[in-house]
């Protein structure tokens, strides 16, 4: 009797969990809309002040480090720094905030 009740309660619990799920909104922007674009650095040794403040650094062992900058509008720019050449990569990734 106890086993039958436990199975029944387990089944009802699983049904309630399944019914409580809702679909998640679609990830990303509209169809055809780019989430990130590239932007050229003005030089191999300079990051413009307009790009904002340095908010994070991602360091990896064998890949370039990533420098994350955020400007006043909330847009984020990611600049790669190559340790072997000790230079910034010529292209940065721009993620705009809307």
């Amino acid at each position: 009797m106890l086993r039958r009740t436990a199975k029944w309660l387990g089944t009802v619990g699983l049904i309630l969990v399944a019914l409580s799920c809702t679909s998640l909104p679609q990830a990303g922007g509209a169809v055809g809309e780019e989430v990130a674009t590239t932007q050229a650095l003005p030089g191999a040794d300079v990051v413009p002040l307009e790009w904002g403040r340095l908010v994070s650094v991602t360091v990896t062992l064998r890949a370039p480090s990533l420098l994350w900058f955020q400007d006043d509008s909330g847009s984020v720019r990611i600049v790669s720094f190559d340790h072997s050449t000790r230079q910034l990569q010529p292209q940065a990734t721009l993620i705009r905030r809307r």
Side-chain angles (χ1 to χ4, degrees):
M1 177 82 170
L2 183 60
R3 191 174 263 171
R4 181 183 294 172
T5 304
K7 284 183 181 180
W8 185 81
L9 287 174
T11 304
V12 169
L14 287 174
I15 290 171
L16 289 175
V17 167
L19 290 175
S20 69
C21 294
T22 59
S23 9
L24 295 174
Q26 294 293 327
V31 176
E33 180 182 346
E34 287 188 51
V35 176
T37 58
T38 57
Q39 189 174 19
L41 261 71
D45 61 345
V46 91
V47 175
L49 283 174
E50 298 82 39
W51 287 15
R53 61 187 185 93
L54 180 66
V55 292
S56 182
V57 177
T58 305
V59 180
T60 55
L61 294 176
R62 297 184 184 198
S65 294
L66 302 176
L67 309 173
W68 299 72
F69 294 89
Q70 186 173 22
D71 63 16
D72 293 336
S73 68
S75 295
V76 175
R77 289 176 179 85
I78 306 166
V79 180
S80 296
F81 177 77
D82 190 347
H83 293 280
S84 62
T85 61
R86 297 190 180 270
Q87 289 185 344
L88 298 171
Q89 299 296 319
Q91 296 289 324
T93 302
L94 170 62
I95 303 171
R96 292 189 192 279
R97 181 88 186 250
R98 296 177 201 237

